[in-house]
Amino acid sequence: MAAVVGFEVLRRPAGYALLTLAVAGGYFAAGRLGLLRQLVVEGAVFTPIWPPTGVAVACLLIFGLRVLPGIALGVVLVIMSLTSLRPTVFVVLAGNTLAPACACLMLRRVGFRTDLGRLRDGLALVFLGALSAMLISATCGAGLLVLTGKLAEHSFWPVWLGWWVGDAMGVLIITPLLLMLYTVRLPLDLHRWKEALLLVVTIAVIVPLVTHSHVSLLFLIYPLLIWAALRFRFAGSMLCALFASVMATIAATRETGPFADLTHVEVMMKLQAFNGTMALTALLLSSVITEQRNTRLSVEKACQELAEVLEHLTAGDPRQGGRP
């Protein structure tokens, strides 16, 4: 018995260490992916979508605040891949660690559920997890650039806006996908695989076309987004939003298609407006559809249980053929 207890004590720190390293590795990998596409505004470089914030918020919601060291380690690894560690860098470390932690705490405070089965959960993730909490990281990052003289004071707000929206986009797109993957159970329901294949092919053809066309056709993506949400809920809508955001970001960083002949600030504003409205549409529409579906299933279950009770009562009623 003592040996078993000792083994359990040793295994728990080892498991926690592995979890910490896994979270740090996931954060670092997401950061390297986010750095593949960058925009330059007022001399400052930022990413239109910063996936690590979505990874951090999802990990905190699933595993709790105990993974904060893993997130901090991931932030350090990303910073070290870009520059050397200096005392001022720890301001960015604090901002990028505190922002997801505040998002998690605020979401827990309002009773957020990770299955995103209610509209209130989608609204909480948008306004608390993304828009409110990410004010911390954007303010720390852009403020540090001003304080260190790398950014002029008049350029603070454009850079701050780009930083804030990039972090928020990571939460709006990446966090729901990771929460969805966490709740997936095998075997998968594949009875709509033909429609799913048709949707994938349609998205793969239309999205690259409209995001690289010089004619403004970005609005054609929204019917596809609605189709994906109506038929496949979060799995369809969020994957569609992610693919469309990536393709639009590629076009924006290349300054082609609808982003050609624009200033850097105009490119940033047009891209962030498109990505933001698309992510909001996908997330909130899927939340509404999922909530209505869950309500319908609950009503059907209640009706079935009521029918079984009535059938049982009727079977014991002597007026229905039994002996008087």
Side-chain angles (χ1 to χ4, degrees):
M1 182 67 178
V4 174
V5 173
F7 178 73
E8 289 293 330
V9 172
L10 290 175
R11 188 172 66 176
R12 289 176 182 175
Y16 177 70
L18 289 176
L19 177 61
T20 301
L21 292 176
V23 171
Y27 190 101
F28 175 73
R32 297 307 301 173
L33 287 175
L35 291 171
L36 293 177
R37 292 292 169 179
Q38 302 174 348
L39 290 177
V40 179
V41 176
E42 301 293 339
V45 179
F46 71 95
T47 56
I49 303 174
W50 187 236
T53 56
V55 173
V57 173
C59 289
L60 287 169
L61 291 173
I62 294 172
F63 301 110
L65 294 176
R66 59 177 179 164
V67 299
L68 269 177
I71 295 172
L73 178 59
V75 176
V76 171
L77 292 175
V78 173
I79 294 174
M80 289 178 62
S81 68
L82 297 174
T83 183
S84 59
L85 289 179
R86 302 172 183 174
T88 54
V89 170
F90 289 96
V91 177
V92 178
L93 170 62
N96 287 4
T97 305
L98 288 176
C102 290
C104 176
L105 292 174
M106 288 190 292
L107 290 173
R108 285 183 175 182
R109 183 71 177 177
V110 298
F112 177 81
R113 293 195 326 208
T114 55
D115 61 359
L116 291 168
R118 304 170 299 177
L119 177 59
R120 59 177 292 184
D121 297 324
L123 292 172
L125 186 62
V126 171
F127 291 102
L128 297 180
L131 300 183
S132 297
M134 296 306 120
L135 294 172
I136 299 174
S137 56
T139 303
C140 290
L144 178 63
L145 293 177
V146 174
L147 292 176
T148 55
K150 296 180 179 180
L151 183 69
E153 292 184 6
H154 68 272
S155 302
F156 172 81
W157 289 113
V159 174
W160 178 90
L161 178 63
W163 198 310
W164 175 56
V165 176
D167 284 356
M169 284 299 303
V171 177
L172 292 178
I173 294 182
I174 304 301
T175 298
L177 283 175
L178 294 179
L179 294 178
M180 178 193 67
L181 289 175
Y182 179 71
T183 58
V184 166
R185 297 293 180 267
L186 297 176
L188 298 177
D189 185 6
L190 300 177
H191 73 281
R192 291 181 181 172
W193 70 269
K194 293 182 180 179
E195 183 182 1
L197 181 59
L198 177 61
L199 176 61
V200 169
V201 172
T202 305
I203 291 174
V205 172
I206 292 182
V207 171
L209 179 64
V210 302
T211 53
H212 289 78
S213 173
H214 289 283
V215 182
S216 184
L217 298 174
L218 292 176
F219 63 90
L220 292 179
I221 295 177
Y222 288 95
L224 300 177
L225 203 63
I226 295 172
W227 177 13
L230 288 173
R231 301 297 289 171
F232 303 100
R233 298 189 297 280
F234 284 104
S237 64
M238 299 313 301
L239 287 174
C240 178
L242 175 61
F243 180 65
S245 295
V246 170
M247 296 305 298
T249 301
I250 292 174
T253 53
R254 292 178 177 175
E255 297 185 357
T256 61
F259 303 97
D261 303 323
L262 299 176
T263 66
H264 289 166
V265 175
E266 291 172 342
V267 168
M268 179 198 72
M269 295 183 66
K270 186 171 184 176
L271 175 64
Q272 302 294 45
F274 170 72
N275 285 344
T277 54
M278 186 174 53
L280 286 173
T281 301
L283 180 59
L284 297 183
L285 182 59
S286 297
S287 297
V288 170
I289 293 171
T290 302
E291 184 177 39
Q292 291 180 344
R293 176 179 177 273
N294 292 339
T295 301
R296 177 176 57 81
L297 292 176
S298 298
V299 172
E300 290 177 354
K301 183 179 180 181
C303 292
Q304 183 179 1
E305 293 176 350
L306 180 60
E308 292 175 354
V309 172
L310 291 176
E311 182 180 357
H312 178 73
L313 294 176
T314 303
D317 191 343
R319 293 174 297 180
Q320 301 297 325
R323 293 183 60 186

